[in-house]
Amino acid sequence: MKINQKQTVVVIGLGYVGLPLAIRCKEKEYEVFGFDQDKEKIDLINKNKSPIEEKFIEERIGKFSFSATTDEKIIKKADVVLICVPTPVDKNFYPDLKPVIGAAEATARNLKKGTLVVLESTVNPGVSEEVIEPIFRAANLKVGKDVFIAHCPERINPGDPHWNVTNIPRVVGSFDKKGLSLAVKFYESIVDGSIRPMKSIREAEAVKIVENSFRDINIAFVNELARSFEKLEIDVKDVILGAATKPFAFMPHFPSCGVGGHCIPVDPYYLIERAKASGFDHKFLRIAREINNSMPTYTVELLQDALNDVKLPMNGTAIGILGVSYKANVDDVRESPSIQIINLVKSHGAKALVFDPHIPKKSNVKNLEELLKRSEAIILATDHNEFKSLDPQLFKKHKIKVIIDGKNCLDKEAIQKQGIIYKGIGR
Ligand code: SAJ
């Protein structure tokens, strides 16, 4: 098989990763079809509407439209199959490969011989060899002859105004030379950035896990600092910004009410569990996960302490929660610390008033005005632009007594000047 733009690409999984990828392949003049199990999503895409709030997609979906279906037989048309399905963890933080297995089995059932199959979903080292290859072998498809399998870990950063599928450099690994060369050629045809071939498919899988575990442990480091500096009355954000003036060998991360999203809090568990099966315990990764998982509880404890200072019980008090999304200016609640914070606040008998301008469906008040009017205390859980610019006098006007700034994004001094108790995460 040769890679050229007249070929047909089928993208399996049309979310944050698959949808921009399908649009980009269309922009690069491939014949593109999308396959997803979610009928609602398919109907929106076929009406050139984006199922997610993402500028890159919303700007292009009309211009580079492609047809999407819930029928797996569309895979029969593919010269290149791109698997972009979720790789979550279950409630015990154990990797859940069911979506990846389902996509690989559907591909094996409908595969045209000689097709290139690329897994973009984040998986631990070993999944391609131990899970994917056996699925094709069981369908009498020999890897390296009947099918070429590669791994090119996705690197989408939702909401990023600059880095997107067109320009983020990629790494690619495969089982064999032919698979590697086909995959490198394919990604070179759609990405204006470097495509680095890896020595093996297992090393390509390891790259993404390392990238995101690196971020998780660095966030855990500053979250631990925040809890220590709170007792030492040191403003951790000011210290991190001070350290960041060092032009080399320091990379700022910032403490917050928790680590959400479908990547950072999830990916380390894939390595922790696979390494455990080989007899290695990633103590450091586990401790970092424990620290980051503890931040929502810590945030609610800050609220309880502050309410004690104003003699307000949690029970029966109206608490405003600003933001449900896991990070600023997106509409994604996956693994969002806000959800845990809302549940914790409710478990103490408080009334949780929730507002997120990006996710009206998850809000239980009409607008910010109503939340401010009805709340006695506030937890800012997502640093949406709409919240960062709030005038502290507005809080005063609505007699807000306590503000817990879960993203350290509000003006501490200006709020304190209004006679409001302010507690940040480590400041
Ligand atoms: N967070 C902190 N402190 C920080 C940075 C993030 O508490 O210093 C929190 C965020 O509030 C959020 C979570 O961590 O709840 C994840 O934030 P993120 O900025 O890492 O956002 P993601 O999950 O969209 O991460 C993506 C990832 N991209 C891929 O996995 C392909 C990640 O690799 C990128 O490093 C990240 O974007 C990025 O650089 O922004």
Side-chain angles (χ1 to χ4, degrees), residues 122 154-158 160 208 211-212 215 219 222-223 252-256 258-265 267 326-327 337 383 407:
T122 305
E154 60 93 0
R155 281 179 164 166
I156 293 294
N157 177 26
D160 191 312
K208 176 66 183 301
E211 285 167 17
N212 285 0
R215 194 158 172 80
I219 297 168
V222 293
N223 280 335
H253 288 73
F254 296 94
S256 82
V259 174
H262 60 298
C263 310
I264 310 303
D267 297 352
Y326 79 89
K327 78 172 182 179
D383 46 341
K407 294 289 179 186

Side-chain angles (χ1 to χ4, degrees), residues 46-201:
N46 286 334
K47 288 184 207 127
N48 290 342
K49 287 197 172 58
S50 172
I52 44 183
E53 180 191 345
E54 184 63 60
K55 212 156 162 296
F56 176 89
I57 297 171
E58 289 158 321
E59 284 169 352
R60 290 170 175 79
I61 195 161
K63 193 164 170 226
F64 302 109
S65 61
F66 61 94
S67 90
T69 176
T70 55
D71 178 359
E72 69 172 52
K73 290 193 184 50
I74 196 73
I75 299 170
K76 292 180 184 306
K77 292 177 180 283
D79 300 303
V80 180
V81 174
L82 304 174
I83 299 178
C84 308
V85 295
T87 47
V89 288
D90 64 22
K91 61 182 184 335
N92 304 317
F93 303 118
Y94 200 78
D96 173 5
L97 282 172
K98 282 196 290 297
V100 165
I101 291 167
E105 287 172 342
T107 304
R109 279 194 295 271
N110 295 282
L111 194 84
K112 188 166 64 182
K113 289 208 170 173
T115 297
L116 170 64
V117 178
V118 185
L119 177 65
E120 285 220 357
S121 308
T122 305
V123 291
N124 55 270
V127 165
S128 296
E129 292 154 279
E130 298 159 5
V131 178
I132 306 293
E133 191 276 337
I135 288 172
F136 287 91
R137 187 160 15 97
N140 296 322
L141 293 163
K142 184 157 179 27
V143 174
K145 181 171 164 291
D146 304 322
V147 58
F148 298 98
I149 295 177
H151 181 65
C152 180
E154 60 93 0
R155 281 179 164 166
I156 293 294
N157 177 26
D160 191 312
H162 173 66
W163 293 107
N164 55 56
V165 66
T166 68
N167 59 10
I168 297 171
R170 311 292 292 269
V171 299
V172 182
S174 181
F175 282 98
D176 49 78
K177 280 198 172 43
K178 174 95 170 135
L180 185 62
S181 122
L182 286 172
V184 167
K185 278 200 179 53
F186 172 72
Y187 282 95
E188 281 174 345
S189 76
I190 63 166
V191 177
D192 302 336
S194 72
I195 307 301
R196 186 186 193 279
M198 301 299 291
K199 290 205 300 290
S200 72
I201 199 161

